[in-house]
Amino acid sequence: MKKCICILLMLTMLSVLFSCGKKSDSSEMTVTPTESATPTESATPTVSIAPSVEVTATPTPTEALSAEEKWYGEILDRSLMNLGNNYRLRKVIEKAQTGEDVYIGFIGGSITEGEGASYKYCYASQTFENFKKAYGVGNGDNIHMINAGVSGTPSTLGVIRYERDLIEKNDGHKPDLLIIEFAVNDADDPTNGATYEGLIRRTLYADNSPAVVLLFSVFQSRWNLQDRFQMMGRYYQLPMVSIKDAIVPCLIDGSITDAKFFNDAYHPKMYGHTIMADCLGHLFEEMLAAEPAKEDAPVREDPFKSSSFDNVHMLTAKSTIVSAGSFTETDKAIGTTRYDNQGTFPDNWKHTAESGTKPLSFTVTAKSILLTYKKSNKDSFGKIDVYVDGKKVTTIDGYDKGGWNQPYTAVILNEKEIGTHKVEVRMAPGSEKKDFTIMAFGYGD
């Protein structure tokens, strides 16, 4: 009997050794990020993605992992661009584990909003569910999420809607953790990264000392702006996750195809969203496994690039300091957001053919002023001239044959010192009988 048991044990050990040593053919590899969240064309997946290694568990020895597990682990390891100072992030997780309410915010473009998958299965929702299961108490009801992703928008608009979309829509609760995803939206950012830094600095300076994570998504062309932003992240000692670093080697060697990861040229499929969520989960695990920082990283007074957009406030048609002039109508043909199904900027100013020529005007004390307007593919939309302190600073065209009623933001003032400035907006010559919609203004003080 003992001899039989010994033989069986030997056979089992040989089988394990054989499976670990067997070389995998990457061209046939079909490993999925998480078995329970496998994207299919015909079925709605059930997402129940918890971190693969418990925080308190002893890690599985590398030699005991399958080839596919090693391959996926390499993807996760490559995604970790920088652990940064882990003081704040550890505090967030400790707060969650004690049962206190924790608010996780996500701000970005269409990928954050869920394009290519769905709002329910986008990387933000999956990360939220993973975090609840890993670090929440009981059913994780003490963990809360606000998804402030808006399609087609850069950080230039993100700084304007920060307070509304991350705090006011969250019943006044400030995020304890903010994940910023604008690495593929900021190509046309007229501030060249200054508003991106404004998001970072505003969050770091908040009185509840939230943690900030920078997430760098990637286009099918293998492009993003992480080279611009990672130096900023290192300056502030922030954790950074690069989906470009994680995935591009797999796209090159064929172990993941473009068709498997991407829904189109810009957005990942749910498979890609799941990888993004797993990469963020891996960051949390590695951060907890690392030596705890003894103190928080210093919040630098001197900016990496600019402090002009540290504290931007939004002005809408409800703002009493704005005189609408001839911009008295309200545009209903504006985009909505998936997370609350509300219009992006419902309280706007619209000029129509019958509105007249009186300028919109207001006076504000600020060092930066931003103007957000609608881009329409209707040729009924015309141009405006913008004046600051009586001087014309720009002409803006509201017509774009490729427009889809999306918000677009222009910088009309960017100075180092705060001053009092008068802004006037007039329909440009030749556009007096045209339409134009101003969605919002933002000013930084």
Side-chain angles (χ1 to χ4, degrees), residues 93 164 190 311:
I93 291 179
R164 182 195 70 179
N311 194 36

Side-chain angles (χ1 to χ4, degrees), residues 5-260:
I5 293 173
C6 290
I7 291 172
L8 287 171
L9 288 172
M10 289 177 66
L11 290 172
T12 301
M13 291 174 66
L14 286 171
S15 175
V16 171
L17 289 170
F18 176 79
S19 64
C20 292
K22 185 178 179 181
K23 186 176 181 179
S24 174
D25 182 355
S26 62
S27 65
E28 295 183 358
M29 193 170 295
T30 57
V31 62
T32 57
T34 302
E35 194 67 28
S36 58
T38 305
T40 64
E41 298 297 323
S42 59
T44 301
T46 301
V47 178
S48 57
I49 315 155
S52 58
V53 179
E54 293 292 339
V55 173
T56 57
T58 302
T60 305
T62 303
E63 62 269 16
L65 297 176
S66 70
E68 292 185 352
E69 289 171 324
K70 289 180 182 178
W71 171 79
Y72 196 58
E74 290 170 356
I75 290 175
L76 300 181
D77 288 340
R78 286 196 302 268
S79 74
L80 190 53
M81 177 178 282
N82 190 47
L83 267 177
N85 183 292
N86 63 19
Y87 185 86
R88 290 196 181 199
L89 197 47
R90 289 183 71 94
K91 289 293 184 183
V92 172
I93 291 179
E94 290 169 6
K95 184 178 180 181
Q97 290 173 328
T98 61
E100 293 184 67
D101 287 320
V102 166
Y103 296 86
I104 304 175
F106 299 84
I107 189 165
S110 55
I111 295 176
T112 294
E113 192 177 2
E115 190 67 33
S118 67
Y119 173 74
K120 184 176 181 180
Y121 297 115
C122 68
Y123 85 85
S125 294
Q126 291 193 42
T127 300
F128 167 62
E129 293 296 333
N130 295 349
F131 194 97
K132 286 173 61 176
K133 292 173 184 175
Y135 312 117
V137 172
N139 293 326
D141 293 337
N142 62 313
I143 312 300
H144 313 275
M145 180 185 77
I146 181 74
N147 185 333
V150 175
S151 295
T153 63
S155 62
T156 321
L157 182 57
V159 293
I160 295 177
R161 56 189 186 84
Y162 183 102
E163 188 165 357
R164 182 195 70 179
D165 289 359
L166 286 172
I167 300 175
E168 291 178 5
K169 287 186 177 181
N170 201 24
D171 296 326
H173 298 290
K174 298 177 181 178
D176 295 287
L177 165 62
L178 181 64
I179 297 170
I180 301 175
E181 183 271 319
F182 281 115
V184 293
N185 284 71
D186 271 17
D188 295 329
D189 167 27
T191 71
N192 198 33
T195 49
Y196 188 90
E197 183 174 16
L199 288 171
I200 292 172
R201 289 173 63 83
R202 178 162 189 174
T203 309
L204 291 178
Y205 275 110
D207 55 13
N208 63 324
S209 300
V212 177
V213 172
L214 305 184
L215 176 64
F216 305 140
S217 47
V218 66
F219 280 164
Q220 190 177 39
S221 63
R222 287 44 162 172
W223 174 88
N224 71 9
L225 288 167
Q226 67 184 39
D227 289 344
R228 174 191 292 179
F229 295 141
Q230 67 169 306
M231 297 303 295
M232 200 177 292
R234 295 184 192 281
Y235 183 78
Y236 291 102
Q237 299 184 40
L238 300 178
M240 293 184 284
V241 171
S242 170
I243 306 305
K244 177 180 179 178
D245 290 355
I247 293 303
V248 168
C250 296
L251 298 174
I252 292 172
D253 68 24
S255 55
I256 296 178
T257 64
D258 285 340
K260 189 175 184 67

